[in-house]
Amino acid sequence: MSTTMRLVTEDDAPRILEIYAPIVRETVISFEYEVPDENEMRQRIRGKLEHGYPWLVMERDDLLLGYAYAGRWRDRAAYDWTVETTIYVNSAARRGGVGRTLYKTLFDVLRLQGFVQAVAGVTLPNDASVGLHQAVGFIPTGTTHNAGYKFGGWHGVAFFELNLQTPPDVPVPTRDVATLVGTEEWKSIVFSR
């Protein structure tokens, strides 16, 4: 059995939905009420990649083990060096190191792109996700109580931050993930896992 990590393609949408759909339907982990269809998921993938953000998938043979991506955190230009991260692991692969490997690889890609800070939000309660975020280096920054309503109850969101690298005195524009794929730097990050 061979495990690989790579940049997502739109063709991954159906397998991504196999992981994400039960989370939307059965949990408060995602605040979405309706499961997106395949076309919507393809658009989400396209949107991340067109804006230069990484979306990684990890697979073993034909099984998608999980995925992690980053995206714009806030709209103002001063936030261009901060990203918001998201991760989902296949229920058949949880507690096996997939989340840590995905996140650590994503962080290395983000550093290579020039990002300085990562933030993440975790719907509460979710001890497993809180534990994962802290295990990979995120530190808690606070909780927004009653941030979302789903399944008949209000839920808070815990926020975390991770310093990806020391901020430069004068930042340079971040690099588009597409310009990195196939480079020696990319191969040393993605294929070394």
Side-chain angles (χ1 to χ4, degrees), residues 82-105:
T82 299
V83 291
E84 183 172 6
T85 63
T86 301
I87 186 166
Y88 291 103
V89 176
N90 189 316
S91 61
R94 292 187 186 138
R95 304 241 182 247
V98 170
R100 286 180 192 225
T101 302
L102 270 166
Y103 248 164
K104 288 181 178 186
T105 306

Side-chain angles (χ1 to χ4, degrees), residues 20 48 67-71 84-88 103 106 119-121 133:
Y20 188 61
K48 292 284 185 235
Y67 61 94
Y69 60 82
E84 183 172 6
T85 63
T86 301
I87 186 166
Y88 291 103
Y103 248 164
L106 180 67
V119 297
H133 283 83

Side-chain angles (χ1 to χ4, degrees), residues 3-191:
T3 301
T4 59
M5 181 120 33
R6 61 176 171 75
L7 196 64
V8 73
T9 71
E10 289 183 44
D11 291 337
D12 292 312
R15 294 191 306 156
I16 286 170
L17 280 169
E18 288 175 11
I19 295 171
Y20 188 61
I23 291 167
V24 172
R25 282 193 308 266
E26 302 165 13
T27 77
V28 297
I29 293 169
S30 168
F31 278 168
E32 284 197 79
Y33 284 3
E34 301 294 326
V35 176
D37 63 19
E38 186 176 320
N39 186 52
E40 170 63 21
M41 189 56 72
R42 287 176 181 273
Q43 289 176 13
R44 292 179 187 187
I45 292 167
R46 188 178 319 119
K48 292 284 185 235
L49 298 178
E50 284 177 354
H51 287 95
Y53 294 105
W55 184 321
L56 303 177
V57 295
M58 186 175 179
E59 56 193 347
R60 182 175 301 128
D61 301 322
D62 290 329
L63 178 65
L64 188 68
L65 301 174
Y67 61 94
Y69 60 82
R72 188 167 191 82
W73 182 53
R74 304 281 303 260
D75 288 334
R76 304 286 189 263
Y79 294 115
D80 283 353
W81 295 270
T82 299
V83 291
E84 183 172 6
T85 63
T86 301
I87 186 166
Y88 291 103
V89 176
N90 189 316
S91 61
R94 292 187 186 138
R95 304 241 182 247
V98 170
R100 286 180 192 225
T101 302
L102 270 166
Y103 248 164
K104 288 181 178 186
T105 306
L106 180 67
F107 301 154
D108 286 344
V109 170
L110 292 168
R111 287 182 190 101
L112 187 57
Q113 288 183 266
F115 290 105
V116 173
Q117 188 79 358
V119 297
V122 176
T123 304
L124 300 174
N126 190 337
D127 292 342
S129 187
V130 168
L132 171 63
H133 283 83
Q134 291 179 326
V136 297
F138 278 97
I139 57 170
T141 58
T143 299
T144 301
H145 302 280
N146 303 315
Y149 183 85
K150 188 173 179 183
F151 296 148
W154 290 97
H155 301 277
V157 176
F159 289 95
F160 297 85
E161 70 178 13
L162 175 71
N163 292 317
L164 294 167
Q165 58 188 318
T166 303
D169 291 335
V170 179
V172 297
T174 58
R175 297 165 66 184
D176 187 311
V177 70
T179 66
L180 303 175
V181 177
T183 66
E184 291 305 315
E185 296 165 306
W186 175 266
K187 291 175 187 175
S188 71
I189 291 170
V190 175
F191 295 113

